Amino acid sequence: MTRAAVVAGVGSALPPSVISNEDLTARLDTTDEWIRSRTGITRRHVAGAKQSTADLAVRAATQALTSNEPEHVDALVLATTTPDRCCPATAPAVATRLGLTGIPAFDLAAGCTGFLYALATGAGLIAAATARTVLVIGADRLASLPRPDDRTTVPLFGDGAGVLLLRRGTTDEPGALGPVVLGSDGTGADLIRAERPGALHMDGADVFRHAVDHMAAASRQAATAAGWDLGDVDRLVPHQANHRITSFVARRLGVPADRQLGNVAEVGNTGAASIPLLLDRASSDGQLKPGHRTLLTAFGAGLTWGALTLTWPDLTRTRRLEGPRHDQ
């Protein structure tokens, strides 16, 4: 069989501070009904001033490593839009805090599609025999990007981290990553941009249109490359931007509501952390079961987009059955 990257562990972390819609209405010109009807979000977790992207990444990675306890980790890829510093990268510090000094560790920036780009990179390291085991992390503190008084963007974003541990395996194993579809279009770079924290700009209408079109198209391509019909999909796992985008994508693909996974109501848009956070939650609460044919898809700033397939593996023997870990 052909060598492949196989999911061997999962973990996630959310900051303990929760900001509800009611909390936002006390300082913004908005209402709970306005936020819910347009985004589907009721609350979001927000990191404190002393909680860094690295802190969230280390918490989530520790949980993923505890769930599997591999003998070695050969590489670490961190997808993030909010590194702790412009230079150096955040990933080496994360690796060192995990006791992995010496391994290759690097950041990857592809907006909210970053985790899928990172999975493709980790799979490539395994396929090239550069690594046997790779930690793939998505971690973001997006709540710091909007202007504090911007009622259209502040309610959207939350903070968090999620991780998949990949190991070397074969394409016939449950958990093997299928073909990855990735794309970008720099002509749309200004549609989602932030020159610095507190200065996020987003053109909502155009972002909505591009997100639905590209996520649906990439999903079809990934399913076709895997030899699946869209009717074969047991679970659709879209980037949790807002419920309108995910609903339209599912509708475009013909995936019924009972096969769609979502947690945007509880965590908001967590950027590169979105998909692994959702995978960890769904596998913990039984919505995502071993054998489920799973389709992941995302869209983000850049513009970037992607999709991939896998059959969810049985991780119950090696992972803790708790939900996302909250920083203390």
Side-chain angles (χ1 to χ4, degrees):
M1 285 290 175
T2 304
R3 181 183 294 157
V6 178
V7 174
V10 62
S12 63
L14 291 167
S17 177
V18 177
I19 306 298
S20 69
N21 289 350
E22 288 77 10
D23 295 327
L24 294 181
T25 62
R27 64 181 180 86
L28 295 174
D29 180 20
T30 189
T31 66
D32 174 62
E33 191 279 331
W34 191 92
I35 297 171
R36 286 176 186 252
S37 64
R38 287 161 177 78
T39 71
I41 299 169
T42 61
R43 60 180 183 168
R44 67 288 297 148
H45 292 253
V46 176
K50 295 183 178 181
Q51 286 181 302
S52 67
T53 295
D55 291 336
L56 293 170
V58 168
R59 289 280 185 174
T62 299
Q63 188 182 17
L65 291 171
T66 301
S67 77
N68 182 278
E69 297 182 356
E71 294 182 1
H72 51 77
V73 174
D74 299 317
L76 185 153
V77 185
L78 172 62
T80 185
T81 300
T82 57
D84 292 333
R85 292 182 284 183
C86 293
C87 182
T90 302
V94 172
T96 293
R97 289 174 60 180
L98 293 170
L100 302 173
T101 299
I103 69 168
F106 54 94
D107 291 1
L108 185 155
C112 295
T113 319
F115 190 74
L116 297 188
Y117 272 70
L119 284 179
T121 302
L125 292 171
I126 289 172
T130 301
R132 294 165 294 173
T133 309
V134 182
L135 270 175
V136 180
I137 307 173
D140 268 318
R141 297 177 71 249
L142 295 187
S144 65
L145 294 187
R147 296 193 318 272
D149 62 347
D150 186 352
R151 75 185 191 111
T152 63
T153 57
V154 167
L156 294 176
F157 298 106
D159 303 330
V163 179
L164 287 184
L165 175 66
L166 303 180
R167 64 166 175 82
R168 183 172 61 192
T170 57
T171 54
D172 63 331
E173 292 185 67
L177 301 186
V180 185
V181 174
L182 300 173
S184 72
D185 180 3
T187 64
D190 285 341
L191 296 182
I192 310 170
R193 66 181 190 274
E195 282 75 19
R196 63 187 183 280
L200 176 72
H201 168 84
M202 186 165 61
D203 189 328
D206 278 347
V207 168
F208 179 89
R209 176 174 57 84
H210 282 290
V212 173
D213 288 347
H214 286 301
M215 289 170 72
S219 295
R220 290 193 187 94
Q221 294 171 37
T224 298
W228 293 4
D229 293 325
L230 288 171
D232 295 331
V233 174
D234 296 309
R235 293 293 183 266
L236 175 65
V237 184
H239 162 57
Q240 299 294 287
N242 67 59
H243 82 102
R244 294 181 65 243
I245 288 176
T246 57
S247 296
F248 269 76
V249 170
R251 191 180 309 168
R252 187 81 62 88
L253 296 174
V255 176
D258 62 354
R259 298 186 182 186
Q260 303 167 33
L261 297 181
N263 65 346
V264 72
E266 293 83 26
V267 300
N269 181 343
T270 55
S274 168
I275 284 178
L277 271 169
L278 180 52
L279 289 172
D280 189 34
R281 201 282 294 272
S283 62
S284 294
D285 65 18
Q287 293 186 76
L288 181 59
K289 300 179 183 299
H292 274 160
R293 290 161 295 190
T294 305
L295 174 61
L296 316 180
T297 186
F299 174 86
L303 301 171
T304 61
W305 58 85
L308 68 83
T309 60
L310 75 153
T311 299
W312 192 250
D314 185 356
L315 302 176
T316 55
R317 294 184 180 180
T318 56
R319 65 151 303 157
R320 295 189 299 179
L321 297 179
E322 64 193 52
R325 174 176 300 191
H326 292 212
D327 290 346
Q328 302 297 324

